[in-house]
């Protein structure tokens, strides 16, 4: 068997990304456990940050639904969990970070960055930047409807 690009067999990109994702997820799980935070809560904080730290509640719940693959009630429950834990606050229309929510997110990111920094030490910075850009492009392409992705590369 040869690689998709000829030559000797090697990991496919799917295998390589999958193995890296599994290892990095395990590390993130440790960070989240130390902070007594679930992965869905962390991801909900990340999505709120992506929206600028505040958003219309309906828009935020729609974003959670789309990005995390939740149904409408699941997105509403997850947003409600942020409110219950005082990680976000809401009025009739909007939801926004509390200081506690912002601090939790920043703490997770800081601890994660320390772990990542140790993993990246000694790697070529340009290789890392290329990998990041490549993975971002793959994610963008994979997020498009299947017909769009197929048509572009036919």
């Amino acid at each position: 068997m040869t690689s998709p690009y000829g030559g000797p067999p090697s990991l496919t990109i799917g295998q390589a990304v999958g193995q890296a994702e599994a290892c990095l997820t395990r590390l993130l799980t440790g960070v989240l456990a130390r902070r007594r935070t679930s992965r869905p809560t962390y991801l909900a904080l990340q999505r709120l940050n992506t929206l600028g730290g505040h958003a219309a509640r309906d828009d935020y719940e729609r974003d959670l639904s789309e990005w995390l693959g939740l149904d409408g009630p699941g997105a509403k429950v997850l947003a409600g969990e942020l409110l219950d834990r005082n990680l976000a606050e809401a009025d009739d229309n909007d939801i926004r970070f509390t200081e506690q929510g912002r601090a939790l997110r920043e703490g997770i990111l800081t601890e994660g960055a320390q772990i990542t920094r140790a993993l990246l030490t000694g790697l070529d910075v340009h290789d890392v930047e290329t990998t990041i850009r490549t993975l971002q492009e793959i994610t963008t392409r994979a997020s498009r409807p299947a017909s769009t992705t197929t048509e572009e590369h036919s």
Side-chain angles (χ1 to χ4, degrees):
M1 180 173 176
T2 62
S3 77
Y5 307 103
S10 64
L11 289 177
T12 65
I13 190 160
Q15 290 171 313
V17 169
Q19 288 175 1
E21 188 273 336
C23 289
L24 292 172
T25 295
R26 192 169 47 252
L27 294 172
L28 175 62
T29 298
V31 171
L32 295 176
R34 286 187 288 281
R35 295 181 180 274
R36 293 185 166 92
T37 301
S38 70
R39 183 177 171 90
T41 297
Y42 168 67
L43 294 175
L45 292 171
Q46 288 292 82
R47 294 309 309 162
L48 186 55
N49 187 72
T50 298
L51 297 172
H54 64 278
R57 178 100 185 242
D58 289 345
D59 292 343
Y60 177 61
E61 290 174 5
R62 188 175 319 103
D63 182 83
L64 289 176
S65 182
E66 291 171 4
W67 279 96
L68 304 182
L70 301 172
D71 60 14
K76 186 178 272 309
V77 165
L78 184 53
E81 288 175 15
L82 293 185
L83 298 172
D84 292 344
R85 288 192 56 196
N86 195 35
L87 301 174
E89 59 190 9
D91 56 27
D92 290 341
N93 299 314
D94 297 328
I95 187 167
R96 72 194 65 72
F97 274 121
T98 60
E99 285 305 313
Q100 182 178 333
R102 192 176 311 283
L104 175 62
R105 180 183 168 276
E106 290 300 320
I108 292 167
L109 292 176
T110 298
E111 189 174 345
Q114 292 169 347
I115 294 168
T116 303
R117 192 175 308 111
L119 294 173
L120 298 178
T121 298
L123 296 178
D124 182 277
V125 68
H126 300 294
D127 288 346
V128 173
E129 290 170 352
T130 298
T131 300
I132 292 168
R133 280 193 313 274
T134 300
L135 291 172
Q136 287 172 331
E137 180 60 24
I138 290 169
T139 300
T140 298
R141 291 179 184 190
S143 298
R144 294 181 192 141
S147 61
T148 304
T149 305
T150 306
E151 291 168 9
E152 283 181 358
H153 298 93
S154 311

